[in-house]
Amino acid sequence: MSEGGRSAETPLKVAVYPGSFDPATNGHLDIIRRAAKQFDRLIVAVLNNTSKQPLFTLDERMGLLREVTADLPNVEVDGFRDLLINYMAQRQAHVIVRGLRAVSDFEYELQLATANHKLSPEIETFFMMTSPEYSFLSSSIVKEIAKFQGPVSDLVPPCVEKALRAKNA
Ligand code: ADP
């Protein structure tokens, strides 16, 4: 028997939740908590995207995510810069988790999921609808509010709020 009481022949269900997480919000955390219940292991994969200029470094984004997921034993935080499907193959994961907030997310997500499926047909994208209280929430909105010293305590975990305050001090 291996992890989760499975026999050695049954592969673990490993899912990857990729994103920029610049920074992690309560909306991301909601998806992470719910997705972690559906898979044996959930890898939160932080994209080191060289074309975007993030507010937080890759290490800072990963550190904050590790802090807020410390109570979830089957969640791992990692960084990647490769094509997502290459990273998935490396990690032996077959499921991509993405969150959907509104219809506006749909077109882009459909494009992404279709491209990934075409590149690697055994990979499936699982979409999770956001909990309604987070449907308006994005990392960009949080950064905008924090830039002008607005209140973000209902939008992000306390350690992220503190990190935002330090960036905007
Ligand atoms: P990306 O740059 O890949 O869009 P994000 O960090 O912005 O990275 O988002 C990662 C994933 O989390 C995406 O699937 C996005 O739709 C989802 N997401 C972002 N904010 C929320 C939220 N408030 N509720 C649910 N899902 C969300």
Side-chain angles (χ1 to χ4, degrees):
M1 286 286 189
S2 60
E3 205 167 330
R6 286 164 176 271
S7 70
E9 304 84 61
T10 318
L12 287 177
K13 288 208 174 73
V14 182
V16 170
Y17 178 33
S20 310
F21 305 102
D22 184 39
T25 67
N26 287 343
H28 292 128
L29 203 53
D30 172 57
I31 298 286
I32 293 171
R33 287 189 181 282
R34 288 162 53 206
K37 291 188 193 148
Q38 305 302 327
F39 301 97
D40 297 312
R41 182 175 302 147
L42 180 70
I43 303 170
V44 181
V46 185
L47 176 63
N48 192 5
N49 189 343
T50 42
S51 64
K52 271 191 193 172
Q53 190 53 258
L55 178 63
F56 291 94
T57 66
L58 179 69
D59 280 349
E60 288 170 334
R61 285 178 278 153
M62 285 173 45
L64 290 169
L65 275 164
R66 286 203 177 107
E67 205 169 329
V68 299
T69 59
D71 63 320
L72 301 170
N74 66 332
V75 172
E76 174 193 334
V77 177
D78 194 12
F80 76 107
R81 58 165 76 236
D82 203 351
L83 197 58
L84 179 59
I85 55 147
N86 292 344
Y87 175 75
M88 306 259 313
Q90 212 180 297
R91 300 302 315 265
Q92 298 188 307
H94 299 283
V95 174
I96 301 170
V97 170
R98 295 286 285 176
L100 280 181
R101 283 163 291 192
V103 182
S104 49
D105 278 343
F106 183 79
E107 205 167 325
Y108 174 66
E109 293 292 343
L110 176 68
Q111 226 175 30
L112 217 59
T114 310
N116 283 326
H117 192 72
K118 196 146 186 76
L119 290 168
S120 189
E122 71 278 10
I123 284 183
E124 292 291 349
T125 303
F126 281 30
F127 291 104
M128 295 183 64
M129 301 303 298
T130 180
S131 298
E133 63 267 40
Y134 305 128
S135 60
F136 69 97
L137 189 51
S138 68
S139 298
S140 324
I141 294 224
V142 165
K143 282 184 278 190
E144 197 63 20
I145 297 172
K147 191 160 103 185
F148 299 104
Q149 274 77 39
V152 292
S153 55
D154 288 345
L155 312 179
V156 296
C159 64
V160 174
E161 184 186 3
K162 201 168 142 211
L164 278 163
R165 242 191 267 124
K167 284 273 176 203
N168 292 293

